[in-house]
């Protein structure tokens, strides 16, 4: 951990770079960025992206540190493909957004999943947030699959079972058709210390809320001073400090993590025939290093990006 306690950043450096890109202003380093008559201060230690890209082949997408998964492995249906073509950009409800798509015909060979992520692990203590459109029903095909729509942060893979340095925060894992022992729409928040994969035995803290979350939602996680607090649309839904197994391990992140979004199938048990396709959309993602940003303040900051026409900002490490 880079500091023993969180601190609110008050100062602004004056030297920085502001680059104009096709999707709007791109702020790097630390700057005062001016658009028309509006002037916005780019504070140190922040990351923002509004996903105004043409495609995943856009040089700016990779330049912002994003990668699309195309390699095999978990989570999800064993042997199912993670297809790079399942991540794209489109216009939804008047905004350019990232789109994740997953599809299944009830077979392993006919199942594809989606993920994109920050390749560099440089997120730890601070506030994480995203505006996400979750869905209860497929865009085509029969409903009922055990699909998981997510936003999370995760560090390097475990070195061994129950690795006490393993770090993962699941800000939302939305199961519209249930799974993991549930039979209806359920939203999970989980903070990990470590685990054994087989048989599954985690040291984590996990909470869940029943009920539909179809539509747009602002998902927030504050990881500050040894405590992880989760919010959905400004309402606190969970708070974690130690594992729920026996309370012996902290679930606060211990190593730097990457940002991730994915859509995957827990199993194929809920499939009823034909081919079903599901989608998840992400309007923007935001991170403030070593700050506990309230949901209200977060709304103000992200609105300021839009007002200024700032498509993305990365001032981490300054």
């Amino acid at each position: 951990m880079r500091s023993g306690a969180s601190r609110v950043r008050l100062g602004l450096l004056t030297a920085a770079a502001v680059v104009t890109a096709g999707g709007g202003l791109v702020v790097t380093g630390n700057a005062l960025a001016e658009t028309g008559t509006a002037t916005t201060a780019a504070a140190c230690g922040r990351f923002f992206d509004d996903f105004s890209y043409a495609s995943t082949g856009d040089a700016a997408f990779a330049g912002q540190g994003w990668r699309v998964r195309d390699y095999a492995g978990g989570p999800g249906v064993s042997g199912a493909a993670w297809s790079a073509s399942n991540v794209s950009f489109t216009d939804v409800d008047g905004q350019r957004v990232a789109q994740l798509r997953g599809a299944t015909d009830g077979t392993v060979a006919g199942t594809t999943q989606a993920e994109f992520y920050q390749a560099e692990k440089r997120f730890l203590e601070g506030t994480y947030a995203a505006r996400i459109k979750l869905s209860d029903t497929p865009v085509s095909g029969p409903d009922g699959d055990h699909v998981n729509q997510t936003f999370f942060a995760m560090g390097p893979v475990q070195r061994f079972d129950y690795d006490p340095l393993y770090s993962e925060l699941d800000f939302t894992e939305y199961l519209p058709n249930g799974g993991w022992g549930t039979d209806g729409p359920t939203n999970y928040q989980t903070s990990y210390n470590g685990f054994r994969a087989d048989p599954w035995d985690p040291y984590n803290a996990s909470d869940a809320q029943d009920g539909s979350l179809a539509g747009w939602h602002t998902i927030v996680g504050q990881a500050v001073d040894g405590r992880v607090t989760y919010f959905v649309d400004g309402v606190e839904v969970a708070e974690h400090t130690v594992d729920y197994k026996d309370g012996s391990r902290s679930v606060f992140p211990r190593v730097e993590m990457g940002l991730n979004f994915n859509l995957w199938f827990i199993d194929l048990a809920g499939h009823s025939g034909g081919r079903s396709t599901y989608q998840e959309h992400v309007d923007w993602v935001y991170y403030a290093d070593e700050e506990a940003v309230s949901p209200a303040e977060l709304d103000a900051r992200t609105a300021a990006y839009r007002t200024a026409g700032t498509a993305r900002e990365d001032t981490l490490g300054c």
Side-chain angles (χ1 to χ4, degrees):
M1 188 177 298
R2 287 161 293 176
S3 67
S6 298
R7 61 180 182 275
V8 177
R9 299 179 182 275
L10 299 177
L12 291 177
L13 302 179
T14 57
V18 179
V19 182
T20 301
L25 288 181
V26 177
V27 183
T28 61
N30 218 5
L32 293 178
E34 189 168 321
T35 304
T37 59
T39 302
T40 61
C44 190
R46 295 182 184 175
F47 181 92
F48 172 78
D49 201 320
D50 78 347
F51 299 118
S52 57
Y53 300 103
S55 72
T56 57
D58 191 329
F61 180 71
Q64 186 73 348
W66 297 108
R67 300 293 183 270
V68 178
R69 181 172 178 176
D70 60 1
Y71 55 89
V77 174
S78 179
W82 294 86
S83 175
S85 64
N86 281 1
V87 178
S88 61
F89 297 93
T90 188
D91 295 328
V92 175
D93 299 332
Q95 295 292 344
R96 193 70 170 171
V97 300
Q99 176 177 279
L100 298 96
R101 184 178 69 252
T104 184
D105 63 3
T107 70
V108 172
T111 300
T112 63
Q113 306 171 129
E115 180 174 340
F116 70 98
Y117 59 95
Q118 279 286 302
E120 187 176 352
K121 293 174 172 41
R122 55 198 181 121
F123 305 87
L124 186 58
E125 184 172 7
T127 298
Y128 301 75
R131 183 172 184 255
I132 305 174
K133 188 174 187 179
L134 302 167
S135 61
D136 279 356
T137 57
V139 294
S140 64
D143 198 2
D145 294 285
H146 296 155
V147 64
N148 192 347
Q149 303 165 36
T150 81
F151 166 41
F152 64 103
M154 187 170 68
V157 297
Q158 287 196 124
R159 301 164 297 172
F160 46 80
D161 286 349
Y162 308 116
D163 185 350
L165 290 183
Y166 182 73
S167 298
E168 178 180 348
L169 302 177
D170 297 336
F171 307 112
T172 188
E173 287 190 293
Y174 182 58
L175 282 54
N177 294 315
W180 294 336
T182 66
D183 57 7
T186 309
N187 189 46
Y188 287 88
Q189 305 82 34
T190 306
S191 309
Y192 281 89
N193 178 284
F195 61 88
R196 182 185 63 205
D198 189 18
W200 177 245
D201 183 41
Y203 279 93
N204 66 17
S206 187
D207 286 277
Q209 303 82 46
D210 296 334
S212 173
L213 281 181
W216 287 107
H217 300 280
T218 301
I219 307 296
V220 178
Q222 295 175 349
V224 176
D225 291 338
R227 186 181 308 274
V228 186
T229 310
Y230 296 89
F231 301 84
V232 176
D233 297 331
V235 177
E236 183 178 326
V237 292
E239 184 180 88
H240 299 157
T241 55
V242 296
D243 69 273
Y244 285 179
K245 182 179 181 180
D246 59 20
S248 65
R249 298 193 180 195
S250 170
V251 295
F252 194 82
R254 292 151 299 283
V255 297
E256 290 183 313
M257 303 175 290
L259 294 177
N260 299 258
F261 297 90
N262 64 21
L263 184 153
W264 51 279
F265 296 92
I266 295 171
D267 55 44
L268 301 176
H271 196 71
S272 59
R275 184 170 183 81
S276 301
T277 300
Y278 297 81
Q279 293 179 347
E280 172 187 355
H281 296 97
V282 187
D283 185 11
W284 52 256
V285 65
Y286 178 85
Y287 171 76
D289 189 40
E290 297 184 326
E291 280 192 88
V293 182
S294 71
E297 172 62 16
L298 176 68
D299 288 345
R301 291 186 185 185
T302 54
Y305 284 121
R306 287 278 164 80
T307 300
T310 303
R312 43 197 169 271
E313 175 184 10
D314 184 353
T315 59
L316 298 181
C318 67

